[in-house]
Amino acid sequence: MSQNPANMSTKRLRGPGSSPESGEVVLELSSRKPREPRKRWRSAFIAIYFTRALRSLVREIIGNTTETVINVKGIDENVMEDRNFSSVYRKKLISVMKDKGLDHLHELGGAESIAAELMSNPETGIRGDEEDLRWRRAAFGENKYQRPPPKSFLYFVVNSLKDLTIIILLVCASLSLAFGIKEEGPREGWYDGGSISIAVFMVVMVSAVTNFRQSRQFHELSKVSDNIQIDVVRNGRQQHISIFDIVVGDVVSLKIGDMIPADGLFLDGHSLQVDESSMTGESDPIEINKESHPFLVSGGKVVDGYGRMLVISVGMNTAWGELMSSISHDNNELTPLQSRLSKLTSAIGKVGSLIAFFVLVVLLVRYFTGNTFDENGKRQYIGKKTKVDDIMNGVVHIISVAVTIIVVAIPEGLPLAVTLTLAYSMKRMMADQAMVRRLSACETMGSATIICTDKTGTLTMNQMKVVMFTLGKEAILGNNVAVINPGIIELIHEGVALNTTASVYKADSSSEPEFSGSPTEKAILSWAVMELYMDMAKMKLSYEILHVETFNSQKKRSGALIRKKSTNTVHAHWKGAAEIILRMCSKYYDKSGTVKTLDEDDRKAVLHKIEAMASQALRCIAFAHLEVDHQTLIEEKLIFLGVVGLKDPCREGVKDAIDLCRRAKVKIKMITGDNILTAKAIALECGILESSTLTDSQLVEGVQFRNFSYNERMEKISQIKVMARSSPSDKLLMIKSLKEKGEVVGVTGDGTNDAPALKEANVGLAMGIQGTEVAKESSDIVIMDDNFKSVVSILKWGRCVYNNIQKFIQFQLTVNVAALIINFVAACSSGEVPLTAVQLLWVNLIMDTLGALALATDRPTDELMDKPPIGWTQPLITNVMWRNLSFQALYQVTVLLTLQFKGKSIFKVKELVKNTIIFNTFVLCQVFNEFNARKLEKKNVFQGIFRNKLFLWIVAATIILQVLMVELLRKFADTERLNWTQWAICVVIAALSWPLAWVVKCIPVPEKPFLDYLKRTRS
């Protein structure tokens, strides 16, 4: 069993001229107490091996001049017993976490002893090579939990078959099939009932396939959202890995906002507090320490401090794994738009059902009064002479037509269209670096009127670099550290190395150092190592950290109390926002190391330098220090060390993105914890502030904002564009105030303390790179690249979702209105309907599913940003849509009723050919109207047509299937073949809808919704 070098002692004996190839004798002795019951045989094994090693060593020294090495650092894994742990020991580890028993933990020797048993090192972690990881997964399992299986395709088929109208149609089809076979025999009698059955089957299958695909897509997206990145130490190097790659023995680094990735034991850290409410229901955070509570439970979240843990249980061996395996990830969320569409569908369905009932009554009355005839002109009902089977067949046919009218009337495609466009948008938004966690957020972003954004990492690149350093009152140019007193350099080293959450890794003395941590911490650490020649490893060995106060976005500073081992002196170090640290100081160092009193003039001089740095868009971080004679981290009368200025350049394209938001009537407010001058400089650079219109009322600090009276705040909030030195509570107050004014607010956030603001906002946007897991879980959408351009992309997608749904509503309502009026008028006047049940089901398939796919998958364009945000109270069907659909429906009804009553005489054709022309013209009208629906207001409906290949494929598929229905599937569709002239007439009539749409769009409409006029008339 290869053991940890940190826990072992190593001795070497060398003879002259030796080499590893010539014979190296390696003996590995564990310095820890062996575990029972292996103690005795291990002692015997070591004694025997040690004797053989000495005998070999003597022989080598006497026999030749080679050098032999005895490496006493633990038993080599090649001479170890099998590394597989017994199931008893694995169960003990699991029970330690489940019972949280300190006695049980002490029996196993504590965290360090367990780490050694797991061949892990609290400082350097596990080896982490493929063989090591493979063994650990085989021995302890993977950090994955068994998900409930996703719903099968059969589930969606059965769900579609539960629809009442589908059931009635299937019953009608079965009766029609039975009567038809009895009357005409199996060869000819199956057509009517069989055709309806096949058509219903097609509708059910298409609906099931669509829903099944969307379910799978949501399932895949949930996998992406569950793939959290974790910091672990392996082979002495800090690495960023997936939560699913965690193994037993891993040493995990934890900081504020992290989720506990597995069950483990606390190794070390400071002020670590964990929220375990997801598991226990207790809202109060738990203080984690070695003495009383060293247990860290998976699923918990770090709310304060930092630390490191040893993983001892993963996956299904944890309580979190058991819990998550029972939770379904199916997305049954009903979005606001879906709720509104359900009401619209219900209203239209009621109208359609009423019309279908009238048609049913009219057809039944005409049938039983002898006013209906078959295709040969023979009266269908002749009183008592009519066979019962013929009566039943006739009634079933009438019922199936009435039910089919209901199927066509109810716009079931509307909810499907929303699901399709949301699912399509979610998939495309992933490619645009946005992961949607809540479907409703897609729609809500289309209504957003204000976006409150962070500065660092969102507007800027989050690539910090120290470009300026001021010691006391004096600026140090370049890296001219030779002018600084060595004692001051040492104090800066202390303040950087021992008051940080970042780390440095060097593979060997000649390799370049690798820095890990937050961008600010990495930049400062890199500056100290590369320019001040700080040795991080040496600092850690030379000092002991007594107490740490982690960075807090409320206080904007962090502190550390340390003891220097060589002198046994205690030092307090503080680091944070420059003006805040300066207020804590009463003295300062000059570059010679002399301590001087910080009087008012000196304080103003330092403040002036801080302001000068901030006005150059630099983030100013100050350091302060004091040697103390007690173990208390004091916060006053410190000695000011100096200030570093960190440059974080603006992201490319941010200014254009903000201009696009301004064009879209969406206001941008920057909320940052930085100095107001830094914030102002960045805001000017990004275009949030404009120098030509800049006023003092556009900038405010958090403390001012929170101290405003309610009326004052509500009056000034619309003018504020930048809030600096803000705390999370200031951000939350800003969002609440904006919502009270009726604004729809989107807000970005990355910290744990941003969680309340992210939840309060209409749309919470968490950062994917710098965002903590707490922030991500509180958000609606995760910005994967932390880029403001992606926020604008989401804004466009939100508007696109709403626009696509409106296109489909216009298209489907045109079909609904036309089909209902045509069938109702024809039934009432002639007792027959021109469109059969199968034909109506085909039309239903075109408009519900294929139409939704064609119109709901348009991608967003910049022209969407030329309109103001979509109001939440704005009607779904706008005046423009009413105008468009009314004229198109009127045109279709006029043409098709003319064909119904005059078609035979106009074309000199039989009844069946006339009905086929009506059916063909009606379907082609819908195909051409799909193009009209692409643009609700623009006259050029072909603009950008080739960008949506799916639209073109669906149109082509619809035309091909229609040709097959008319020319080849005649008995199935109850049609007759058409000649070229008749086809041309059908195409021309349908194509006339294009110039009609162009003319109609020239007609102006009032801005006030038509329904408001109706309400006023009623009142």
Side-chain angles (χ1 to χ4, degrees):
M1 191 181 293
S2 65
Q3 299 292 345
N4 212 317
N7 297 330
M8 311 298 164
S9 59
T10 303
K11 299 180 181 178
R12 295 176 180 267
L13 294 178
R14 293 185 179 272
S18 74
S19 68
E21 291 78 10
S22 64
E24 178 183 78
V25 181
V26 179
L27 180 60
E28 300 184 346
L29 292 175
S30 175
S31 62
R32 63 182 176 79
K33 183 179 178 181
R35 219 172 22 94
E36 295 292 352
R38 302 180 183 175
K39 181 176 178 179
R40 293 179 180 176
W41 74 260
R42 278 188 177 175
S43 300
F45 177 87
I46 292 169
I48 294 167
Y49 194 82
F50 186 75
T51 304
R52 291 178 62 188
L54 284 178
R55 185 166 49 192
S56 174
L57 175 63
V58 171
R59 188 183 300 118
E60 289 292 328
I61 294 174
I62 295 172
N64 55 56
T65 57
T66 61
E67 177 186 33
T68 303
V69 178
I70 297 180
N71 186 3
V72 189
K73 64 173 184 179
I75 300 172
D76 189 276
E77 62 188 73
N78 294 320
V79 295
M80 279 294 297
E81 77 276 14
D82 187 358
R83 294 201 301 177
N84 288 329
F85 284 100
S86 67
S87 60
V88 175
Y89 187 70
R90 288 199 296 271
K91 286 177 181 176
K92 281 185 178 179
L93 289 180
I94 295 168
S95 66
V96 163
M97 287 306 306
K98 289 192 174 178
D99 300 340
K100 294 186 179 179
L102 288 172
D103 293 340
H104 197 172
L105 178 61
H106 293 151
E107 284 176 17
L108 294 174
E112 284 75 13
S113 181
I114 292 173
E117 287 293 343
L118 296 173
M119 283 164 277
S120 181
N121 185 305
E123 296 299 325
T124 59
I126 61 174
R127 283 207 324 267
D129 54 48
E130 284 302 318
E131 181 188 352
D132 186 34
L133 295 175
R134 189 164 49 248
W135 169 74
R136 291 176 188 278
R137 291 188 182 113
F140 298 99
E142 295 185 277
N143 197 32
K144 295 178 181 177
Y145 49 83
Q146 298 168 358
R147 294 168 175 268
K151 290 183 173 71
S152 65
F153 176 69
L154 184 61
Y155 168 85
F156 292 102
V157 173
V158 172
N159 206 43
S160 298
L161 287 169
K162 289 179 180 177
D163 188 274
L164 181 61
T165 52
I166 294 294
I167 293 171
I168 295 172
L169 279 174
L170 286 174
V171 171
C172 292
S174 301
L175 292 172
S176 180
L177 188 66
F179 292 130
I181 291 173
K182 185 177 179 181
E183 285 285 316
E184 303 176 33
R187 189 169 183 178
E188 298 291 331
W190 73 273
Y191 283 120
D192 284 346
S195 298
I196 294 173
S197 298
I198 293 169
V200 169
F201 174 77
M202 287 176 64
V203 170
V204 167
M205 291 306 292
V206 169
S207 176
V209 167
T210 304
N211 289 325
F212 176 69
R213 288 188 66 235
Q214 305 324 314
S215 173
R216 288 282 173 172
Q217 192 169 328
F218 291 135
H219 190 71
E220 290 302 315
L221 283 170
S222 74
K223 283 184 180 179
V224 175
S225 64
D226 290 343
N227 188 14
I228 298 165
Q229 296 299 300
I230 301 294
D231 287 325
V232 299
V233 179
R234 288 180 178 174
N235 202 24
R237 182 179 186 180
Q238 187 151 313
Q239 302 176 25
H240 213 47
I241 66 170
S242 166
I243 190 173
F244 303 129
D245 295 332
I246 296 283
V247 294
V248 168
D250 260 326
V251 174
V252 178
S253 300
L254 299 172
K255 61 183 182 299
I256 294 176
D258 282 350
M259 188 177 108
I260 311 296
D263 287 356
L265 298 171
F266 179 74
L267 289 172
D268 56 51
H270 295 279
S271 308
L272 188 62
Q273 292 186 358
V274 175
D275 174 15
E276 294 183 358
S277 58
S278 57
M279 293 297 298
T280 63
E282 293 291 333
S283 57
D284 293 334
I286 296 169
E287 187 83 34
I288 304 295
N289 53 60
K290 275 191 175 182
E291 291 74 30
S292 60
H293 200 292
F295 307 104
L296 288 153
V297 180
S298 59
K301 298 175 184 66
V302 179
V303 295
D304 199 8
Y306 64 89
R308 295 185 309 129
M309 66 173 273
L310 173 72
V311 175
I312 63 170
S313 294
V314 294
M316 293 303 295
N317 292 325
T318 67
W320 180 253
E322 292 174 5
L323 175 66
M324 293 305 290
S325 65
S326 64
I327 296 175
S328 171
H329 283 264
D330 293 320
N331 196 308
N332 299 317
E333 176 192 6
L334 198 64
T335 70
L337 189 53
Q338 283 174 323
S339 300
R340 293 176 72 185
L341 284 175
S342 294
K343 293 177 183 177
L344 180 63
T345 301
S346 177
I348 296 171
K350 288 174 184 176
V351 175
S353 300
L354 189 62
I355 292 174
F357 176 74
F358 279 125
V359 170
L360 176 66
V361 171
V362 169
L363 292 181
L364 286 174
V365 169
R366 291 183 65 90
Y367 178 82
F368 285 108
T369 55
N371 290 315
T372 54
F373 303 88
D374 61 17
E375 56 192 21
N376 298 317
K378 185 179 177 182
R379 194 183 301 274
Q380 291 182 324
Y381 182 78
I382 49 176
K384 295 180 180 180
K385 295 179 182 180
T386 310
K387 296 179 182 179
V388 175
D389 288 350
D390 290 340
I391 294 173
M392 290 297 295
N393 203 18
V395 170
V396 165
H397 173 72
I398 290 169
I399 292 173
S400 65
V401 169
V403 172
T404 307
I405 289 173
I406 295 175
V407 172
V408 176
I410 297 174
E412 292 173 327
L414 289 179
L416 175 64
V418 178
T419 305
L420 278 171
T421 192
L422 287 174
Y424 175 78
S425 301
M426 285 175 69
K427 186 176 179 181
R428 291 294 183 181
M429 285 165 77
M430 276 297 289
D432 287 347
Q433 303 298 320
M435 183 181 73
V436 179
R437 299 185 71 253
R438 292 184 180 86
L439 275 177
S440 56
C442 293
E443 303 167 9
T444 309
M445 276 303 282
S447 302
T449 57
I450 288 180
I451 294 176
C452 298
T453 177
D454 290 333
K455 176 185 75 68
T456 305
T458 309
L459 299 174
T460 61
M461 295 177 68
N462 215 7
Q463 294 175 0
M464 302 274 189
K465 184 181 179 182
V466 175
V467 295
M468 192 176 292
F469 173 52
T470 299
L471 178 66
K473 296 192 301 178
E474 303 171 81
I476 307 298
L477 301 175
N479 58 353
N480 187 20
V481 296
V483 300
I484 305 174
N485 183 283
I488 302 300
I489 296 289
E490 185 180 359
L491 288 175
I492 294 172
H493 285 179
E494 290 176 10
V496 172
L498 306 171
N499 184 17
T500 184
T501 53
S503 61
V504 185
Y505 171 76
K506 286 185 75 170
D508 53 62
S509 58
S510 61
S511 61
E512 286 292 316
E514 297 177 17
F515 302 95
S516 57
S518 71
T520 303
E521 295 282 6
K522 282 195 298 183
I524 295 171
L525 200 56
S526 172
W527 167 72
V529 170
M530 306 302 290
E531 297 191 19
L532 302 185
Y533 310 110
M534 183 182 77
D535 187 334
M536 188 73 165
K538 183 179 176 183
M539 296 297 297
K540 290 286 179 82
L541 292 172
S542 303
Y543 293 84
E544 177 190 356
I545 299 175
L546 303 175
H547 177 69
V548 170
E549 185 172 314
T550 53
F551 180 83
N552 184 301
S553 54
Q554 196 80 30
K555 294 183 177 180
K556 302 193 184 305
R557 62 179 188 251
S558 64
L561 191 69
I562 62 171
R563 184 179 66 83
K564 189 174 182 179
K565 294 178 181 178
S566 60
T567 61
N568 202 33
T569 53
V570 179
H571 301 258
H573 279 275
W574 285 93
K575 174 182 72 179
E579 65 271 29
I580 292 173
I581 296 295
L582 183 63
R583 282 200 294 269
M584 298 163 63
C585 299
S586 60
K587 298 177 182 179
Y588 71 97
Y589 284 106
D590 64 13
K591 61 185 178 184
S592 67
T594 305
V595 178
K596 295 184 177 181
T597 302
L598 189 66
D599 58 27
E600 279 305 308
D601 291 337
D602 294 329
R603 193 179 298 275
K604 286 179 182 177
V606 175
L607 270 175
H608 179 72
K609 289 194 177 295
I610 292 170
E611 290 171 357
M613 293 165 74
S615 62
Q616 297 175 51
L618 300 183
R619 170 175 280 187
C620 302
I621 305 294
F623 298 88
H625 152 269
L626 187 66
E627 184 176 331
V628 295
D629 56 2
H630 49 79
Q631 295 194 0
T632 305
L633 187 57
I634 64 170
E635 303 181 18
E636 57 184 12
K637 297 183 179 179
L638 305 175
I639 304 174
F640 189 73
L641 282 171
V643 182
V644 289
L646 294 90
K647 181 69 175 176
D648 186 14
C650 280
R651 286 186 183 271
E652 186 179 350
V654 162
K655 195 171 190 306
D656 292 337
I658 288 171
D659 287 342
L660 196 60
C661 288
R662 192 175 286 116
R663 195 174 101 195
K665 305 295 187 292
V666 177
K667 299 173 185 175
I668 307 297
K669 295 183 186 292
M670 185 173 84
I671 302 176
T672 178
D674 269 341
N675 182 293
I676 194 166
L677 294 173
T678 306
K680 178 182 175 182
I682 292 291
L684 284 167
E685 191 176 342
C686 293
I688 295 174
L689 295 176
E690 296 175 280
S691 54
S692 58
T693 58
L694 183 61
T695 60
D696 291 340
S697 61
Q698 294 176 349
L699 296 101
V700 69
E701 287 193 333
V703 64
Q704 293 175 269
F705 184 75
R706 78 180 79 112
N707 289 331
F708 284 152
S709 66
Y710 175 81
N711 291 334
E712 196 177 8
R713 188 182 306 120
M714 298 305 284
E715 181 187 340
K716 294 183 177 181
I717 195 168
S718 299
Q719 301 173 41
I720 296 170
K721 293 187 177 181
V722 174
M723 184 161 71
R725 283 288 180 247
S726 66
S727 65
S729 59
D730 296 330
K731 182 186 273 191
L732 181 61
L733 182 60
M734 169 75 81
I735 292 157
K736 285 181 175 178
S737 302
L738 288 169
K739 286 177 70 177
E740 282 183 42
K741 286 186 72 72
E743 306 285 0
V744 180
V745 186
V747 63
T748 68
D750 54 14
T752 301
N753 289 328
D754 285 331
L758 290 168
K759 286 182 178 179
E760 178 67 30
N762 299 107
V763 181
L765 304 158
M767 300 296 109
I769 299 173
Q770 290 300 315
T772 64
E773 289 309 315
V774 174
K776 290 175 190 176
E777 286 200 4
S778 302
S779 69
D780 304 299
I781 299 174
V782 178
I783 311 298
M784 305 302 287
D785 61 353
D786 292 13
N787 194 336
F788 186 80
K789 285 173 69 177
S790 299
V791 178
V792 177
S793 176
I794 295 168
L795 194 66
K796 286 200 283 189
W797 271 111
R799 295 186 175 200
C800 182
V801 166
Y802 200 89
N803 189 248
N804 286 348
I805 296 302
Q806 286 187 315
K807 293 175 189 176
F808 182 69
I809 290 172
Q810 177 181 299
F811 169 71
Q812 189 168 53
L813 289 187
T814 304
V815 184
N816 287 134
V817 172
L820 285 173
I821 293 175
I822 291 164
N823 280 298
F824 178 72
V825 173
C828 292
S829 57
S830 64
E832 295 180 0
V833 288
L835 300 174
T836 66
V838 173
Q839 291 169 356
L840 284 172
L841 284 170
W842 168 234
V843 171
N844 184 66
L845 184 66
I846 292 173
M847 71 180 187
D848 271 8
T849 306
L850 299 181
L853 276 170
L855 293 170
T857 53
D858 261 347
R859 300 200 66 176
T861 58
D862 281 350
E863 69 184 41
L864 288 169
M865 305 296 274
D866 291 330
K867 301 176 183 177
I870 303 152
W872 278 9
T873 57
Q874 184 177 320
L876 276 173
I877 308 174
T878 64
N879 290 354
V880 168
M881 293 166 65
W882 279 120
R883 178 196 65 190
N884 295 345
L885 73 88
S886 299
F887 279 95
Q888 286 293 335
L890 181 63
Y891 170 70
Q892 291 181 23
V893 168
T894 304
V895 169
L896 295 176
L897 286 179
T898 302
L899 292 176
Q900 169 68 12
F901 297 115
K902 300 292 182 181
K904 287 172 67 175
S905 58
I906 292 173
F907 296 110
K908 305 292 190 290
V909 293
K910 296 178 181 178
E911 182 73 19
L912 186 57
V913 175
K914 180 205 76 173
N915 286 342
T916 302
I917 291 173
I918 291 172
F919 168 58
N920 199 36
T921 303
F922 184 63
V923 170
L924 290 176
C925 277
Q926 311 323 317
V927 172
F928 280 86
N929 195 37
E930 271 187 286
F931 287 87
N932 293 330
R934 287 190 68 248
K935 304 289 181 182
L936 297 178
E937 296 184 61
K938 292 210 168 188
K939 296 174 184 176
N940 182 6
V941 296
F942 304 106
Q943 184 181 354
I945 189 76
F946 294 107
R947 292 199 311 160
N948 190 350
K949 298 290 193 299
L950 183 60
F951 178 88
L952 297 174
W953 279 110
I954 287 172
V955 168
T958 305
I959 293 171
I960 291 168
L961 290 171
Q962 180 63 16
V963 172
L964 292 175
M965 290 278 284
V966 172
E967 299 297 323
L968 298 179
L969 304 175
R970 299 194 304 278
K971 289 193 174 180
F972 168 74
D974 198 15
T975 57
E976 189 62 57
R977 279 187 173 177
L978 302 179
N979 57 38
W980 285 105
T981 303
Q982 290 162 347
W983 266 102
I985 290 169
C986 293
V987 171
V988 169
I989 291 172
L992 284 173
S993 65
W994 283 352
L996 175 66
W998 193 92
V999 172
V1000 166
K1001 286 174 183 176
C1002 295
I1003 302 172
V1005 292
E1007 289 185 11
K1008 188 175 182 180
F1010 288 141
L1011 293 178
D1012 286 0
Y1013 291 105
L1014 293 175
K1015 289 175 185 176
R1016 180 182 292 180
T1017 303
R1018 286 179 185 175
S1019 61

